[in-house]
Amino acid sequence: MLAIIGGSGLTQLSNMENVRREVARTPFGEPSAALTFGRMCEAPVVFLARHGHGHTIPPHKVNYRANIWALKQAKVEGIVSVASVGSIRADWPPGTLVVPNQIIDYTWGRESSFFDGVDTPVRHVDFTRPYDEALRQRLLCAATVAGDSAFDGGVYAAAQGPRLETAAEIDRFERDGAELVGMTAMPEAVLARELELPYAAINVVVNYAAGRSSSEHGIHFDDIEVVLQESMVRVRAVLECLCRV
Ligand code: HPA
């Protein structure tokens, strides 16, 4: 069974059948929402709304440890994250889908390990490749089967939020090698790694990052909403094809 963690614009999976909800409890508190178990084109899936069903939890307040622990408890074989991002690359306009392959972490103050040395011994995990390659390839394949396309690889900058970045911060991220910016991949990806859960993401570009659009007036949230609605229809179609690849 695969888990899907949905971000902004994807608080439920309308194409799920035989749905059953379960409120999970974990040693780290409650996950963002009840886990929704069901089937998507015959295959079992479990869905979790990262920001809560009503989108009430900001990125820096998400209980990432409870979310990942609950999915492990549910015995998932892997996690697919759906997350909207800003694009630092001129050739990745809003509406572009990317299956990223690297992360640079700029977040701070988040609970980012299960092995924090309090009740558990200190442990270090290999994180050279933060995303699972087999799951990445499945996502890329599913995009093709869905008649869509997603870029293979991208460097994701995990920003703290909830505010968007300054233009100078985006310039710095680009100098560092980042191509996309979002607020949730960390610590989600590393917590999945700590529990040995394969993790991959499909990122939806919903805006050009700060200072990168031709508009002089910054980022328009109305425009983001339109792209988000249109793109999530495509993402749902890609997710439906996941069980066929
Ligand atoms: N910055 C950070 N996170 C985001 C953005 C952005 O521009 N767009 C969507 N998520």
Side-chain angles (χ1 to χ4, degrees):
M1 175 172 64
L2 266 185
I4 296 166
I5 301 183
S8 302
L10 195 77
T11 48
Q12 56 185 33
L13 275 186
S14 45
N15 38 4
M16 260 172 102
E17 290 164 0
N18 295 331
V19 170
R20 169 175 68 86
R21 290 209 165 77
E22 204 176 290
V23 176
R25 310 230 177 275
T26 82
F28 306 97
E30 275 189 29
S32 299
L35 301 186
T36 308
F37 293 85
R39 301 186 87 79
M40 215 166 48
C41 69
E42 311 291 298
V45 285
V46 53
F47 179 81
L48 174 59
R50 181 184 287 117
H51 301 286
H53 276 302
H55 201 286
T56 48
I57 312 169
H60 64 300
K61 295 256 176 84
V62 170
N63 190 341
Y64 295 97
R65 293 200 297 184
N67 286 355
I68 300 299
W69 192 272
L71 294 176
K72 181 76 177 181
Q73 266 176 351
K75 304 212 163 17
V76 303
E77 56 170 299
I79 299 174
V80 169
S81 151
V82 178
S84 63
V85 292
S87 169
I88 302 177
R89 274 177 60 158
D91 60 340
W92 284 355
T96 303
L97 303 182
V98 182
V99 177
N101 66 338
Q102 276 297 335
I103 296 176
I104 303 176
D105 187 10
Y106 299 95
T107 66
W108 47 269
R110 301 183 181 190
E111 293 289 357
S112 55
S113 178
F114 292 111
F115 310 124
D116 56 10
V118 181
D119 295 318
T120 43
V122 177
R123 240 192 81 192
H124 302 285
V125 291
D126 174 57
F127 205 45
T128 310
R129 291 185 178 74
Y131 296 101
D132 180 77
E133 192 52 32
L135 201 46
R136 284 187 66 252
Q137 291 306 325
R138 265 184 82 183
L139 270 171
L140 289 163
C141 218
T144 308
V145 172
D148 210 319
S149 66
F151 277 90
D152 179 357
V155 180
Y156 176 110
Q160 176 69 357
R163 65 166 177 84
L164 296 181
E165 299 70 35
T166 65
E169 284 169 336
I170 294 298
D171 289 344
R172 171 193 172 203
F173 292 174
E174 184 176 42
R175 285 194 300 274
D176 287 352
E179 299 168 292
L180 303 163
V181 55
M183 302 176 189
T184 55
M186 288 300 284
E188 203 169 81
V190 74
L191 292 168
R193 176 62 53 85
E194 284 190 348
L195 297 188
E196 297 176 352
L197 285 171
Y199 178 93
I202 181 153
N203 287 154
V204 181
V205 173
V206 292
N207 58 284
Y208 277 116
R212 296 306 164 102
S213 88
S214 48
S215 155
E216 282 173 21
H217 305 291
I219 293 167
H220 295 278
F221 294 95
D222 292 351
D223 297 344
I224 289 186
E225 200 51 42
V226 173
V227 183
L228 205 52
Q229 296 308 326
E230 288 170 1
S231 306
M232 286 307 162
V233 175
R234 291 164 54 205
V235 169
R236 281 196 169 91
V238 173
L239 294 176
E240 270 199 27
C241 290
L242 259 181
C243 62
R244 295 200 217 135
V245 295

